[in-house]
Amino acid sequence: MLKTRFTETFGVQHPVVCGGMTAVGKAELIAAVADAGGLGFLTALTQPTPDALAAEIARTQSLTDKPFGVNLTILPTVNPVPYDEYREAIIASGVKIVETAGANPAPHLPHFKDAGVKVIHKAVAVRHALKAESLGVDAISIDGFECAGHPGDDDIPGLILINAAARKLSIPIVASGGFADGAGLVAALALGADAINMGTRFVATTEAPVHQNVKDQIVANDERATTLVFREFRNTARVARNAVSEEIAEIGRRPGATFADVAHLASGERARREVLTGGDIDGGMWWAGQSQGLIDSVLSCREVIEQIMSDAEAIITTRLADAVG
């Protein structure tokens, strides 16, 4: 068993995290991650209201007695989101770990701290991570350029970014972007991280609440099967390569293009309806990272975590031990 600052700080068995994923971070997946010894995060804004989030937290609590958290992503939106009410739903439900992302979490930190809630903040740059540390978060999840979702515009891959962050941060670090196996965990630990975060790997599990076609496509895809979109709008995102994401990328390259030109293609509701629920792989834009190239089967969350830990320990005790023996 691998013990790190992360496992000790957050009271989990293994240094493996399933971060918040829109429309995917639901009770059945997060409870399975927790039962397998990892730390999973429900996605607050997947739920349409704070009351619905409270109900989803209660559903997760009915499925596991192990620690789990809630992701609260704070972003500017066309329709105002009652972030304070979502925060209070988290606190009132007794959740003790929160993952914040997006905008500055400062307005929420005193409330979480007063309630004894530990906060992990997601960052895509060392400067942002240092700012979050100065605000008093308990850990940083640092996202390399390989990740699904929004890697920022610096284009720094994990091999550099994790190491650079570890040289300057004093709090636990979760390495994110491109992780899917035991070798990745060992590499992250060697770079100075205390845990790994995986999204795409956990989508390709039996418990993930998405259509089987999506899981099978992740297995079939290789590390080249992603596309960067929204670069021209200064909101770079890495998504699965398909007909829709290729069209979005092409439109974005046109002179004078704006997000309004691709909004109908990039709609989250469309992706949930056509892809994640309907199983039409080309039906909408959906999130996936370069770690697809490391995923060769759909497994249960327990099988994924056990295999990662077994492989990591074998690498440390055999291959690396032999190299210095």
Side-chain angles (χ1 to χ4, degrees):
M1 182 182 300
L2 294 176
K3 292 183 179 180
T4 71
R5 291 188 301 171
F6 179 85
T7 60
E8 294 176 351
T9 299
F10 295 97
V12 295
Q13 184 178 2
H14 301 305
V16 177
V17 177
C18 174
M21 293 185 284
T22 302
V24 181
K26 298 180 180 180
E28 53 268 45
L29 174 62
I30 301 314
V33 172
D35 276 346
L39 179 62
F41 288 91
L42 293 175
T43 311
L45 300 189
T46 290
Q47 303 304 320
T49 66
D51 285 344
L53 172 60
E56 190 70 1
I57 292 172
R59 189 162 76 94
T60 310
Q61 290 167 335
S62 74
L63 296 173
T64 183
D65 59 0
K66 302 291 177 54
F68 68 91
V70 176
N71 166 282
L72 185 64
T73 297
I74 309 158
L75 294 172
T77 58
V78 175
N79 298 313
V81 174
Y83 289 112
D84 291 357
E85 295 178 29
Y86 276 99
R87 180 194 69 221
E88 293 310 311
I90 294 169
I91 293 171
S93 297
V95 172
K96 293 302 182 183
I97 307 172
V98 164
E99 177 187 66
T100 56
N104 191 322
H108 302 281
L109 290 179
H111 301 273
F112 286 134
K113 292 296 183 180
D114 288 346
V117 177
K118 290 185 171 66
V119 177
I120 302 172
H121 185 67
K122 292 180 69 68
V124 296
V126 176
R127 61 189 182 279
H128 299 156
L130 288 169
K131 176 63 175 179
E133 181 182 39
S134 74
L135 294 173
V137 302
D138 298 280
I140 291 292
S141 180
I142 194 86
D143 280 9
F145 190 54
E146 305 91 334
C147 71
H150 297 281
D153 295 316
D154 291 343
D155 299 359
I156 308 299
L159 187 63
I160 303 300
L161 186 60
I162 298 161
N163 196 342
R167 293 181 181 203
K168 295 186 176 181
L169 294 168
S170 61
I171 55 178
I173 297 170
V174 180
S176 181
F179 295 100
D181 59 14
L185 173 56
V186 175
L189 296 175
L191 291 170
D194 304 278
I196 57 170
N197 171 62
M198 304 187 302
T200 305
R201 171 66 269 193
F202 280 120
V203 176
T205 58
T206 54
E207 296 93 346
V210 303
H211 199 283
Q212 185 65 36
N213 289 355
V214 176
K215 303 175 187 184
D216 293 341
Q217 189 64 46
I218 289 172
V219 172
N221 283 346
D222 64 17
E223 65 277 6
R224 300 169 299 169
T226 68
T227 300
L228 293 174
V229 296
F230 309 155
R231 300 224 81 178
E232 298 78 6
F233 315 134
R234 297 194 61 78
N235 190 29
T236 300
R238 185 180 299 282
V239 299
R241 184 185 300 277
N242 69 358
V244 172
S245 63
E246 292 281 31
E247 184 177 356
I248 291 171
E250 191 278 325
I251 292 173
R253 290 190 289 268
R254 296 175 186 172
T258 68
F259 182 77
D261 298 323
V262 301
H264 63 293
L265 296 170
S267 164
E269 177 56 38
R270 172 176 174 166
R272 287 188 287 272
R273 181 182 66 250
E274 302 297 333
V275 183
L276 301 184
T277 300
D280 180 0
I281 297 302
D282 285 312
M285 187 191 79
W286 53 284
W287 308 97
Q290 292 180 325
S291 60
Q292 290 178 114
L294 305 175
I295 301 169
D296 56 15
S297 59
V298 176
L299 302 171
S300 71
C301 291
R302 182 172 296 280
E303 289 172 324
V304 167
I305 292 177
E306 287 182 350
Q307 182 174 321
I308 286 173
M309 298 311 302
S310 175
D311 289 350
E313 291 172 15
I315 291 169
I316 293 169
T317 58
T318 58
R319 187 191 309 172
L320 296 185
D322 290 345
V324 298

